[in-house]
Amino acid sequence: LRYSKGQKRETYVRILKAASVQLKKNGSNGIGIANLMREAGLTHGGFYSHFRSRDDLVNKAFAIAMDQTTFRWKKLSANLPANDGLEAIVRAYLCTKHRDNPGDGCALPAFAAQMGRGDKATKKSFSIKLGEMIDLVAAQYTDVPTGEARQLAISAISTMMGAITLARASAGQDLSAEILEAGAKSLTGRKATTPVAEKPYCAAPRGDSVTR
Amino acid sequence: LRYSKGQKRETYVRILKAASVQLKKNGSNGIGIANLMREAGLTHGGFYSHFRSRDDLVNKAFAIAMDQTTFRWKKLSANLPANDGLEAIVRAYLCTKHRDNPGDGCALPAFAAQMGRGDKATKKSFSIKLGEMIDLVAAQYTDVPTGEARQLAISAISTMMGAITLARASAGQDLSAEILEAGAKSLTGRKATTPVAEKPYCAAPRGDSVTR
DNA sequence: TGTACATCAGTGAACGCGCGTTCACTGATGTAC
DNA sequence: TGTACATCAGTGAACGCGCGTTCACTGATGTAC
């Protein structure tokens, strides 16, 4: 109906944010346009004023979801001595709050498996985003050679992503918390005393990378 | 058409095997009944002589796919000294052949994310199957206390599953092989010299657990 | 400043396609006599 | 052993539903004069 200066942009961002949440929660197959537009307070027909197709939306939502994770990690580790930065990331990642709120969390668990079935362009853009994450985590390992830091970072991300996925798949069972603790211990050297981190990974999203 | 003693059972197994492959390759959303039955050499209508519904099939295919992985790991580590057993599993898991043949490989990368969206019963049966895998891997850690072996096993499985998923998502990029190597090194202490293991994870399936 | 027109974000009915499921039918094999 | 009948795995057309996409339309806002 109405139609002023930056209003379309605002709607666009609102749809993208809702899509990012839904994608992380239900995977890229679990997203429906009618449902998504309802969540954004609109009707389904208007979708095509903002996106060329469903695929177009998924690609864009994927990109911002990955950026949000990188941004979150940057925030969590900022102004902390190196090893503390790593620990902050790991504890915030492998906590029950993150496990139970995939929509507000990291994009990797929901996306990675799907990316493996994508085409070459999809995989290329995925690996660029993943590369940024790796660099950020590698910077937390200051007391080892650069090459080794990179290797440790890749392995740490694999462990975090694998552990949270398995913990979600066994949610409600005793095993679930055990998985989070085991992952945290092997990455930080100690067991988490409380499974919920003080700065949980899944704090309210700010949509930083959406608005640019 | 024809119809003799154990012939129905044979068809049933054929469908299940095809389903297991397709599920691991394309995820549980990627499986279509017409397509599946064609792969099994039948037409779609006959499906319901063997399964109550699509969901029924998916549940059964999931169970045998998980069993196959556990069985494979048992074979790989059998008759090997403990640490060699772990290394055999890790190298076979984190190799390019396994990365490039998800249909013949481990069920976790394709299933785990999906399981996180399932109901309580689904998660319970998942955690039981995962528990069996953990026990098997934990038995490879002989020079540490039992509790620690279990923690290391959980972490190792998380790392393997996370790494192969990320490697698949970045297949075709330089990063992909690097992920496999980083995972293998942090779990075995050394880098794999060749990314293809001698006993690849994805040897021809035998359908052991299907026929029982 | 006020009026007439153009624009276009958003609406909601309708379309078309894929896919899970149903169902009447077939014909080879097993069984009864 | 041979014949008549019952069974039921498998066939393929048809149905129904969900969902992505299209399209004619609306009406508030921006712009021209």
Side-chain angles (χ1 to χ4, degrees):
Chain A
L1 280 320
R2 78 194 71 174
Y3 153 73
S4 80
K5 206 77 167 91
Q7 214 142 358
K8 181 176 182 183
R9 178 79 193 171
E10 193 195 303
T11 306
Y12 173 82
V13 171
R14 190 150 31 98
I15 298 173
L16 258 187
K17 278 190 187 175
S20 162
V21 171
Q22 266 195 264
L23 279 170
K24 290 187 285 184
K25 212 189 285 181
N26 302 320
S28 75
N29 289 314
I31 200 172
I33 288 181
N35 200 27
L36 173 71
M37 293 300 279
R38 209 175 303 125
E39 199 124 335
L42 300 168
T43 55
H44 62 274
F47 176 81
Y48 296 88
S49 302
H50 298 281
F51 301 92
R52 222 167 327 120
S53 67
R54 187 181 173 284
D55 273 0
D56 182 29
L57 167 80
V58 169
N59 288 333
K60 282 172 178 149
F62 152 71
I64 67 151
M66 292 287 280
D67 286 346
Q68 279 173 344
T69 293
T70 307
F71 183 84
R72 186 72 37 91
W73 287 1
K74 203 174 286 184
K75 278 263 180 178
L76 280 165
S77 60
N79 304 322
L80 285 180
N83 280 343
D84 289 359
L86 176 72
E87 189 162 339
I89 292 173
V90 170
R91 288 189 184 286
Y93 202 98
L94 296 177
C95 72
T96 54
K97 201 167 180 185
H98 185 207
R99 178 194 63 193
D100 298 334
N101 295 280
D104 293 334
C106 175
L108 285 177
F111 277 119
Q114 195 66 228
M115 291 289 127
R117 295 163 204 140
D119 57 19
K120 195 167 181 180
T122 306
K123 289 176 180 177
K124 177 151 197 179
S125 89
F126 175 84
S127 75
I128 290 170
K129 299 289 183 191
L130 181 58
E132 290 168 8
M133 290 186 190
I134 292 170
D135 290 343
L136 207 148
V137 173
Q140 310 303 319
Y141 292 95
T142 50
D143 46 4
V144 296
T146 312
E148 194 177 336
R150 187 171 162 82
Q151 177 245 305
L152 289 171
I154 293 174
S155 175
I157 292 173
S158 300
T159 305
M160 287 194 288
M161 182 275 206
I164 195 96
T165 306
L166 296 177
R168 281 176 184 162
S170 55
Q173 312 294 316
D174 292 343
L175 181 55
S176 186
E178 200 186 350
I179 293 169
L180 296 178
E181 286 165 15
K185 180 162 185 203
S186 75
L187 291 178
T188 67
R190 340 174 231 155
K191 219 166 204 165
T193 45
T194 161
V196 180
E198 311 77 43
K199 286 185 176 182
Y201 183 78
C202 39
R206 329 232 181 125
D208 323 275
S209 54
V210 181
T211 52
R212 70 175 184 206
Chain B
L1 281 319
R2 79 193 73 172
Y3 152 73
S4 80
K5 206 73 166 91
Q7 213 140 358
K8 181 177 183 183
R9 177 81 194 170
E10 193 194 307
T11 306
Y12 172 83
V13 171
R14 190 149 35 95
I15 298 172
L16 258 185
K17 278 190 186 175
S20 162
V21 171
Q22 265 194 264
L23 279 171
K24 290 186 286 185
K25 211 189 285 182
N26 301 321
S28 74
N29 289 315
I31 200 172
I33 288 182
N35 200 27
L36 173 72
M37 293 300 280
R38 209 176 303 123
E39 200 125 333
L42 299 168
T43 54
H44 63 274
F47 176 80
Y48 296 88
S49 302
H50 299 281
F51 301 93
R52 218 164 333 118
S53 67
R54 186 180 174 285
D55 273 0
D56 181 30
L57 167 80
V58 170
N59 288 333
K60 283 173 176 149
F62 151 71
I64 68 151
M66 291 288 280
D67 287 346
Q68 279 173 345
T69 293
T70 306
F71 183 85
R72 186 72 37 90
W73 286 0
K74 203 173 286 184
K75 276 264 181 178
L76 280 165
S77 61
N79 303 322
L80 285 179
N83 281 342
D84 289 359
L86 176 72
E87 189 161 341
I89 292 172
V90 170
R91 288 188 183 287
Y93 202 99
L94 296 177
C95 72
T96 55
K97 200 167 182 186
H98 185 207
R99 177 193 65 194
D100 298 334
N101 295 281
D104 293 333
C106 176
L108 285 176
F111 277 119
Q114 195 66 228
M115 291 290 126
R117 295 163 203 139
D119 57 18
K120 196 167 180 180
T122 305
K123 287 176 181 177
K124 178 150 196 180
S125 89
F126 176 82
S127 74
I128 290 170
K129 299 289 183 192
L130 181 57
E132 290 168 7
M133 289 186 190
I134 292 170
D135 290 342
L136 208 149
V137 174
Q140 310 303 318
Y141 292 96
T142 50
D143 46 7
V144 295
T146 312
E148 193 176 338
R150 185 170 163 83
Q151 177 245 305
L152 288 171
I154 292 174
S155 175
I157 292 173
S158 300
T159 305
M160 287 194 289
M161 183 274 208
I164 194 97
T165 305
L166 296 176
R168 280 175 185 162
S170 55
Q173 312 293 316
D174 291 344
L175 180 56
S176 186
E178 201 187 349
I179 293 169
L180 296 178
E181 285 165 16
K185 181 162 183 202
S186 74
L187 292 178
T188 66
R190 336 175 232 157
K191 221 165 201 162
T193 45
T194 161
V196 180
E198 311 77 43
K199 284 187 176 181
Y201 183 78
C202 41
R206 329 232 181 125
D208 323 276
S209 53
V210 181
T211 51
R212 69 175 181 206

mmCIF file of all heavy atoms in Angstrom, chain A residues 115-145:
data_model
loop_
_atom_site.group_PDB
_atom_site.id
_atom_site.type_symbol
_atom_site.label_atom_id
_atom_site.label_comp_id
_atom_site.label_asym_id
_atom_site.label_seq_id
_atom_site.Cartn_x
_atom_site.Cartn_y
_atom_site.Cartn_z
ATOM 1 N N MET A 115 24.725 -27.469 1.260
ATOM 2 C CA MET A 115 25.716 -26.920 0.336
ATOM 3 C C MET A 115 26.428 -28.037 -0.440
ATOM 4 O O MET A 115 26.798 -27.870 -1.589
ATOM 5 C CB MET A 115 26.778 -26.125 1.101
ATOM 6 C CG MET A 115 26.275 -24.845 1.720
ATOM 7 S SD MET A 115 25.917 -23.587 0.491
ATOM 8 C CE MET A 115 24.242 -23.163 0.942
ATOM 9 N N GLY A 116 26.609 -29.151 0.228
ATOM 10 C CA GLY A 116 27.285 -30.273 -0.408
ATOM 11 C C GLY A 116 26.534 -30.777 -1.622
ATOM 12 O O GLY A 116 27.079 -31.473 -2.468
ATOM 13 N N ARG A 117 25.240 -30.424 -1.711
ATOM 14 C CA ARG A 117 24.426 -30.863 -2.857
ATOM 15 C C ARG A 117 24.255 -29.760 -3.883
ATOM 16 O O ARG A 117 23.540 -29.926 -4.864
ATOM 17 C CB ARG A 117 23.052 -31.319 -2.354
ATOM 18 C CG ARG A 117 23.135 -32.553 -1.480
ATOM 19 C CD ARG A 117 21.862 -32.738 -0.670
ATOM 20 N NE ARG A 117 22.149 -33.539 0.524
ATOM 21 C CZ ARG A 117 21.644 -33.307 1.733
ATOM 22 N NH1 ARG A 117 20.813 -32.301 1.920
ATOM 23 N NH2 ARG A 117 21.965 -34.072 2.752
ATOM 24 N N GLY A 118 24.884 -28.620 -3.623
ATOM 25 C CA GLY A 118 24.736 -27.480 -4.523
ATOM 26 C C GLY A 118 25.667 -27.548 -5.722
ATOM 27 O O GLY A 118 26.454 -28.479 -5.864
ATOM 28 N N ASP A 119 25.568 -26.532 -6.582
ATOM 29 C CA ASP A 119 26.437 -26.507 -7.749
ATOM 30 C C ASP A 119 27.773 -25.832 -7.417
ATOM 31 O O ASP A 119 28.021 -25.453 -6.274
ATOM 32 C CB ASP A 119 25.749 -25.777 -8.909
ATOM 33 C CG ASP A 119 25.345 -24.372 -8.512
ATOM 34 O OD1 ASP A 119 25.891 -23.848 -7.527
ATOM 35 O OD2 ASP A 119 24.473 -23.795 -9.188
ATOM 36 N N LYS A 120 28.608 -25.711 -8.433
ATOM 37 C CA LYS A 120 29.959 -25.218 -8.199
ATOM 38 C C LYS A 120 29.972 -23.790 -7.650
ATOM 39 O O LYS A 120 30.730 -23.474 -6.733
ATOM 40 C CB LYS A 120 30.771 -25.272 -9.505
ATOM 41 C CG LYS A 120 32.261 -25.130 -9.262
ATOM 42 C CD LYS A 120 33.086 -25.503 -10.486
ATOM 43 C CE LYS A 120 34.573 -25.369 -10.169
ATOM 44 N NZ LYS A 120 35.435 -25.727 -11.317
ATOM 45 N N ALA A 121 29.123 -22.922 -8.180
ATOM 46 C CA ALA A 121 29.081 -21.530 -7.719
ATOM 47 C C ALA A 121 28.682 -21.462 -6.246
ATOM 48 O O ALA A 121 29.258 -20.705 -5.464
ATOM 49 C CB ALA A 121 28.091 -20.731 -8.573
ATOM 50 N N THR A 122 27.703 -22.277 -5.882
ATOM 51 C CA THR A 122 27.269 -22.335 -4.491
ATOM 52 C C THR A 122 28.427 -22.710 -3.575
ATOM 53 O O THR A 122 28.651 -22.092 -2.542
ATOM 54 C CB THR A 122 26.161 -23.402 -4.336
ATOM 55 O OG1 THR A 122 25.118 -23.116 -5.266
ATOM 56 C CG2 THR A 122 25.616 -23.416 -2.927
ATOM 57 N N LYS A 123 29.156 -23.740 -3.998
ATOM 58 C CA LYS A 123 30.262 -24.220 -3.168
ATOM 59 C C LYS A 123 31.379 -23.197 -3.080
ATOM 60 O O LYS A 123 32.022 -23.055 -2.039
ATOM 61 C CB LYS A 123 30.793 -25.541 -3.725
ATOM 62 C CG LYS A 123 29.824 -26.681 -3.500
ATOM 63 C CD LYS A 123 30.284 -27.970 -4.133
ATOM 64 C CE LYS A 123 29.252 -29.062 -3.846
ATOM 65 N NZ LYS A 123 29.593 -30.330 -4.487
ATOM 66 N N LYS A 124 31.592 -22.483 -4.174
ATOM 67 C CA LYS A 124 32.629 -21.461 -4.156
ATOM 68 C C LYS A 124 32.267 -20.362 -3.160
ATOM 69 O O LYS A 124 33.094 -19.964 -2.341
ATOM 70 C CB LYS A 124 32.823 -20.859 -5.548
ATOM 71 C CG LYS A 124 33.847 -19.745 -5.568
ATOM 72 C CD LYS A 124 34.532 -19.636 -6.915
ATOM 73 C CE LYS A 124 35.812 -18.811 -6.769
ATOM 74 N NZ LYS A 124 36.535 -18.676 -8.036
ATOM 75 N N SER A 125 31.044 -19.881 -3.215
ATOM 76 C CA SER A 125 30.673 -18.795 -2.305
ATOM 77 C C SER A 125 30.655 -19.301 -0.870
ATOM 78 O O SER A 125 30.997 -18.569 0.059
ATOM 79 C CB SER A 125 29.347 -18.167 -2.716
ATOM 80 O OG SER A 125 28.261 -18.812 -2.119
ATOM 81 N N PHE A 126 30.280 -20.558 -0.695
ATOM 82 C CA PHE A 126 30.343 -21.121 0.654
ATOM 83 C C PHE A 126 31.768 -21.148 1.172
ATOM 84 O O PHE A 126 32.041 -20.752 2.303
ATOM 85 C CB PHE A 126 29.767 -22.543 0.674
ATOM 86 C CG PHE A 126 29.908 -23.217 2.007
ATOM 87 C CD1 PHE A 126 28.970 -22.995 3.005
ATOM 88 C CD2 PHE A 126 30.970 -24.059 2.278
ATOM 89 C CE1 PHE A 126 29.102 -23.597 4.251
ATOM 90 C CE2 PHE A 126 31.107 -24.669 3.514
ATOM 91 C CZ PHE A 126 30.166 -24.434 4.507
ATOM 92 N N SER A 127 32.684 -21.591 0.349
ATOM 93 C CA SER A 127 34.061 -21.736 0.830
ATOM 94 C C SER A 127 34.705 -20.384 1.118
ATOM 95 O O SER A 127 35.571 -20.275 1.977
ATOM 96 C CB SER A 127 34.899 -22.557 -0.155
ATOM 97 O OG SER A 127 35.210 -21.789 -1.286
ATOM 98 N N ILE A 128 34.251 -19.344 0.433
ATOM 99 C CA ILE A 128 34.760 -17.995 0.749
ATOM 100 C C ILE A 128 34.296 -17.564 2.145
ATOM 101 O O ILE A 128 35.086 -17.102 2.959
ATOM 102 C CB ILE A 128 34.285 -16.988 -0.318
ATOM 103 C CG1 ILE A 128 35.013 -17.257 -1.642
ATOM 104 C CG2 ILE A 128 34.535 -15.557 0.147
ATOM 105 C CD1 ILE A 128 34.469 -16.490 -2.824
ATOM 106 N N LYS A 129 33.012 -17.766 2.399
ATOM 107 C CA LYS A 129 32.477 -17.412 3.724
ATOM 108 C C LYS A 129 33.144 -18.252 4.814
ATOM 109 O O LYS A 129 33.486 -17.752 5.886
ATOM 110 C CB LYS A 129 30.969 -17.644 3.763
ATOM 111 C CG LYS A 129 30.177 -16.817 2.772
ATOM 112 C CD LYS A 129 30.151 -15.357 3.147
ATOM 113 C CE LYS A 129 29.288 -14.547 2.194
ATOM 114 N NZ LYS A 129 29.478 -13.102 2.398
ATOM 115 N N LEU A 130 33.314 -19.522 4.536
ATOM 116 C CA LEU A 130 33.950 -20.396 5.524
ATOM 117 C C LEU A 130 35.391 -19.972 5.764
ATOM 118 O O LEU A 130 35.885 -20.006 6.890
ATOM 119 C CB LEU A 130 33.890 -21.847 5.034
ATOM 120 C CG LEU A 130 34.489 -22.913 5.952
ATOM 121 C CD1 LEU A 130 33.830 -22.905 7.328
ATOM 122 C CD2 LEU A 130 34.366 -24.302 5.319
ATOM 123 N N GLY A 131 36.057 -19.541 4.692
ATOM 124 C CA GLY A 131 37.437 -19.063 4.815
ATOM 125 C C GLY A 131 37.556 -17.892 5.781
ATOM 126 O O GLY A 131 38.511 -17.815 6.572
ATOM 127 N N GLU A 132 36.556 -17.005 5.754
ATOM 128 C CA GLU A 132 36.576 -15.866 6.687
ATOM 129 C C GLU A 132 36.460 -16.334 8.129
ATOM 130 O O GLU A 132 37.128 -15.818 9.024
ATOM 131 C CB GLU A 132 35.425 -14.906 6.354
ATOM 132 C CG GLU A 132 35.625 -14.162 5.033
ATOM 133 C CD GLU A 132 34.357 -13.445 4.560
ATOM 134 O OE1 GLU A 132 33.374 -13.406 5.336
ATOM 135 O OE2 GLU A 132 34.345 -12.942 3.419
ATOM 136 N N MET A 133 35.606 -17.325 8.331
ATOM 137 C CA MET A 133 35.469 -17.876 9.689
ATOM 138 C C MET A 133 36.774 -18.492 10.155
ATOM 139 O O MET A 133 37.189 -18.314 11.300
ATOM 140 C CB MET A 133 34.391 -18.959 9.705
ATOM 141 C CG MET A 133 32.988 -18.441 9.537
ATOM 142 S SD MET A 133 31.820 -19.802 9.754
ATOM 143 C CE MET A 133 30.325 -18.983 9.207
ATOM 144 N N ILE A 134 37.399 -19.235 9.254
ATOM 145 C CA ILE A 134 38.652 -19.906 9.609
ATOM 146 C C ILE A 134 39.714 -18.884 10.008
ATOM 147 O O ILE A 134 40.395 -19.037 11.025
ATOM 148 C CB ILE A 134 39.143 -20.777 8.431
ATOM 149 C CG1 ILE A 134 38.194 -21.957 8.223
ATOM 150 C CG2 ILE A 134 40.570 -21.265 8.675
ATOM 151 C CD1 ILE A 134 38.442 -22.747 6.941
ATOM 152 N N ASP A 135 39.848 -17.827 9.218
ATOM 153 C CA ASP A 135 40.835 -16.795 9.531
ATOM 154 C C ASP A 135 40.610 -16.219 10.927
ATOM 155 O O ASP A 135 41.548 -16.000 11.685
ATOM 156 C CB ASP A 135 40.768 -15.656 8.500
ATOM 157 C CG ASP A 135 41.279 -16.111 7.145
ATOM 158 O OD1 ASP A 135 41.969 -17.148 7.085
ATOM 159 O OD2 ASP A 135 40.976 -15.436 6.133
ATOM 160 N N LEU A 136 39.336 -15.983 11.219
ATOM 161 C CA LEU A 136 39.024 -15.366 12.500
ATOM 162 C C LEU A 136 39.391 -16.281 13.670
ATOM 163 O O LEU A 136 39.939 -15.843 14.679
ATOM 164 C CB LEU A 136 37.536 -15.029 12.542
ATOM 165 C CG LEU A 136 37.169 -13.866 13.440
ATOM 166 C CD1 LEU A 136 35.978 -13.140 12.867
ATOM 167 C CD2 LEU A 136 36.889 -14.320 14.849
ATOM 168 N N VAL A 137 39.063 -17.559 13.520
ATOM 169 C CA VAL A 137 39.375 -18.499 14.596
ATOM 170 C C VAL A 137 40.887 -18.741 14.671
ATOM 171 O O VAL A 137 41.454 -18.828 15.768
ATOM 172 C CB VAL A 137 38.618 -19.824 14.402
ATOM 173 C CG1 VAL A 137 39.054 -20.869 15.418
ATOM 174 C CG2 VAL A 137 37.108 -19.591 14.506
ATOM 175 N N ALA A 138 41.513 -18.805 13.519
ATOM 176 C CA ALA A 138 42.967 -19.039 13.513
ATOM 177 C C ALA A 138 43.704 -17.932 14.256
ATOM 178 O O ALA A 138 44.745 -18.172 14.893
ATOM 179 C CB ALA A 138 43.475 -19.136 12.069
ATOM 180 N N ALA A 139 43.186 -16.721 14.191
ATOM 181 C CA ALA A 139 43.830 -15.584 14.877
ATOM 182 C C ALA A 139 43.817 -15.745 16.398
ATOM 183 O O ALA A 139 44.536 -15.053 17.108
ATOM 184 C CB ALA A 139 43.116 -14.288 14.484
ATOM 185 N N GLN A 140 42.987 -16.660 16.875
ATOM 186 C CA GLN A 140 42.932 -16.886 18.325
ATOM 187 C C GLN A 140 44.087 -17.761 18.810
ATOM 188 O O GLN A 140 44.368 -17.811 20.005
ATOM 189 C CB GLN A 140 41.601 -17.545 18.722
ATOM 190 C CG GLN A 140 40.362 -16.863 18.171
ATOM 191 C CD GLN A 140 40.272 -15.405 18.581
ATOM 192 O OE1 GLN A 140 40.559 -15.049 19.716
ATOM 193 N NE2 GLN A 140 39.893 -14.545 17.635
ATOM 194 N N TYR A 141 44.703 -18.481 17.878
ATOM 195 C CA TYR A 141 45.836 -19.353 18.261
ATOM 196 C C TYR A 141 47.124 -18.586 18.052
ATOM 197 O O TYR A 141 47.673 -18.564 16.951
ATOM 198 C CB TYR A 141 45.854 -20.617 17.406
ATOM 199 C CG TYR A 141 44.703 -21.564 17.657
ATOM 200 C CD1 TYR A 141 43.551 -21.518 16.871
ATOM 201 C CD2 TYR A 141 44.766 -22.517 18.670
ATOM 202 C CE1 TYR A 141 42.493 -22.388 17.087
ATOM 203 C CE2 TYR A 141 43.723 -23.402 18.892
ATOM 204 C CZ TYR A 141 42.592 -23.333 18.094
ATOM 205 O OH TYR A 141 41.561 -24.203 18.315
ATOM 206 N N THR A 142 47.613 -17.941 19.102
ATOM 207 C CA THR A 142 48.785 -17.067 18.921
ATOM 208 C C THR A 142 50.103 -17.746 19.262
ATOM 209 O O THR A 142 51.154 -17.309 18.817
ATOM 210 C CB THR A 142 48.661 -15.807 19.791
ATOM 211 O OG1 THR A 142 48.334 -16.214 21.114
ATOM 212 C CG2 THR A 142 47.611 -14.877 19.229
ATOM 213 N N ASP A 143 50.058 -18.826 20.033
ATOM 214 C CA ASP A 143 51.313 -19.426 20.474
ATOM 215 C C ASP A 143 51.745 -20.627 19.631
ATOM 216 O O ASP A 143 52.480 -21.476 20.088
ATOM 217 C CB ASP A 143 51.232 -19.805 21.964
ATOM 218 C CG ASP A 143 49.931 -20.520 22.283
ATOM 219 O OD1 ASP A 143 49.155 -20.785 21.339
ATOM 220 O OD2 ASP A 143 49.684 -20.817 23.461
ATOM 221 N N VAL A 144 51.263 -20.684 18.408
ATOM 222 C CA VAL A 144 51.710 -21.741 17.482
ATOM 223 C C VAL A 144 52.003 -21.099 16.123
ATOM 224 O O VAL A 144 51.532 -19.997 15.852
ATOM 225 C CB VAL A 144 50.627 -22.837 17.302
ATOM 226 C CG1 VAL A 144 50.377 -23.566 18.612
ATOM 227 C CG2 VAL A 144 49.343 -22.230 16.765
ATOM 228 N N PRO A 145 52.777 -21.786 15.280
ATOM 229 C CA PRO A 145 53.056 -21.251 13.940
ATOM 230 C C PRO A 145 51.768 -21.028 13.149
ATOM 231 O O PRO A 145 50.764 -21.708 13.403
ATOM 232 C CB PRO A 145 53.904 -22.349 13.286
ATOM 233 C CG PRO A 145 54.436 -23.159 14.402
ATOM 234 C CD PRO A 145 53.469 -23.063 15.523
#
